[in-house]
Amino acid sequence: MPAPSSSRARRIVVRLAWIAVLAALLSLGWALHSGSIRIPEPFNPWAPLDVAAEPNLLTGFKLRHARRDPARCLAALAGTGLAYETVPDRSTGPGCGFQNAVRLRSGRSMSLSSPTVLSCGAALSFAMWERHALQPAAVLRLGMPVVTLEHLGSYACRDINTGEGQARTSGRRSRHATADALDVAGFVREDRRRITVRRDWEDGDAEALFLRDAHAGACRFFDGVLGPDYNAVHADHFHLEVGGWGLCR
């Protein structure tokens, strides 16, 4: 029998190498899944999301995984320190309604201007934002935390408002229609001074820097974040949503 050509031999070696790598990865994955190999939870992609843990490269993956699973989401939400109660699923029209939602009454360290209904996934992202971005930005830029978040609402059965007269005719439901979005208009500092998106976004002072940091921080934990730089519709608020296309403007 003639000896295999060098090119054929190389192909065989490469194929065997890939099989070995695949087998090793499968073995490692099974070992991690079965618990025979233990790695610290912050670095274990299959470990539940720990809202209190300092975010790392796996936090986004864990957050998305938790938001997709109703039971996992509620379990993670229970450890956030938010004040809320679950609400019954609801359908109010084509493309409108919510499932696995909560009535959020306050954050972990701040009140809300009024209770509001959010999907569990949006509430979980809100908890991550408050703890790891919003309040750290307040302490850094203002020298104190914020004690109240002022909002313009969450659930509303409506289409996307583009600011171009298409809100009623586009047929594209807003993430508000599924309680996956919250519009944030401003904050109250610990010294009772108000900060509003409309008035303070462009001022260039500590309040403006805080708002810029709060907006940028939201992009780490929400799928879509829109503010005054996006269009005139958002001149007075931040739109924070989960479940849509990734956008930070």
Side-chain angles (χ1 to χ4, degrees), residues 74 77 84-90 97-105 115-120 155 179:
L74 288 174
L77 198 63
Y84 66 90
E85 66 264 0
T86 58
V87 296
D89 294 349
R90 182 180 179 188
F98 45 78
Q99 297 179 325
N100 202 42
V102 301
R103 179 172 288 103
L104 184 62
R105 298 194 175 276
T116 191
V117 173
L118 281 173
S119 67
C120 180
Y155 176 70

Side-chain angles (χ1 to χ4, degrees), residues 24-41 43-47 58:
L25 290 175
L26 289 173
S27 298
L28 178 60
W30 173 253
L32 291 172
H33 181 72
S34 65
S36 57
I37 294 180
R38 294 189 177 276
I39 58 178
E41 287 200 359
F43 307 104
N44 182 353
W46 290 278
L58 292 175

Side-chain angles (χ1 to χ4, degrees), residues 54-166:
E54 188 66 24
N56 62 24
L57 291 176
L58 292 175
T59 300
F61 170 82
K62 291 183 177 184
L63 177 59
R64 290 188 295 272
H65 186 50
R67 290 193 315 223
R68 285 195 296 265
D69 184 305
R72 187 182 289 266
C73 184
L74 288 174
L77 198 63
T80 60
L82 303 185
Y84 66 90
E85 66 264 0
T86 58
V87 296
D89 294 349
R90 182 180 179 188
S91 176
T92 60
C96 290
F98 45 78
Q99 297 179 325
N100 202 42
V102 301
R103 179 172 288 103
L104 184 62
R105 298 194 175 276
S106 73
R108 171 176 173 263
S109 55
M110 63 184 177
S111 63
L112 269 62
S113 54
S114 63
T116 191
V117 173
L118 281 173
S119 67
C120 180
L124 190 56
S125 286
F126 178 92
M128 295 292 291
W129 175 56
E130 178 193 4
R131 181 188 288 259
H132 298 294
L134 179 65
Q135 292 292 21
V139 173
L140 174 66
R141 299 299 189 181
L142 308 174
M144 65 186 73
V146 293
V147 296
T148 303
L149 178 144
E150 299 178 342
H151 67 85
L152 303 177
S154 53
Y155 176 70
C157 182
R158 64 173 176 83
D159 288 353
I160 294 172
N161 185 355
T162 64
E164 301 167 353
Q166 300 176 1

Side-chain angles (χ1 to χ4, degrees), residues 141-142 193 200-211:
R141 299 299 189 181
L142 308 174
R193 290 175 58 186
D200 299 308
W201 178 255
E202 296 287 359
D203 278 355
D205 55 11
E207 283 78 10
L209 293 174
F210 160 68
L211 289 174

Side-chain angles (χ1 to χ4, degrees), residues 159-183:
D159 288 353
I160 294 172
N161 185 355
T162 64
E164 301 167 353
Q166 300 176 1
R168 294 181 180 275
T169 60
S170 67
R172 294 179 294 150
R173 287 300 195 196
S174 166
R175 302 305 297 184
H176 286 286
T178 49
D180 286 314
L182 176 68
D183 288 343

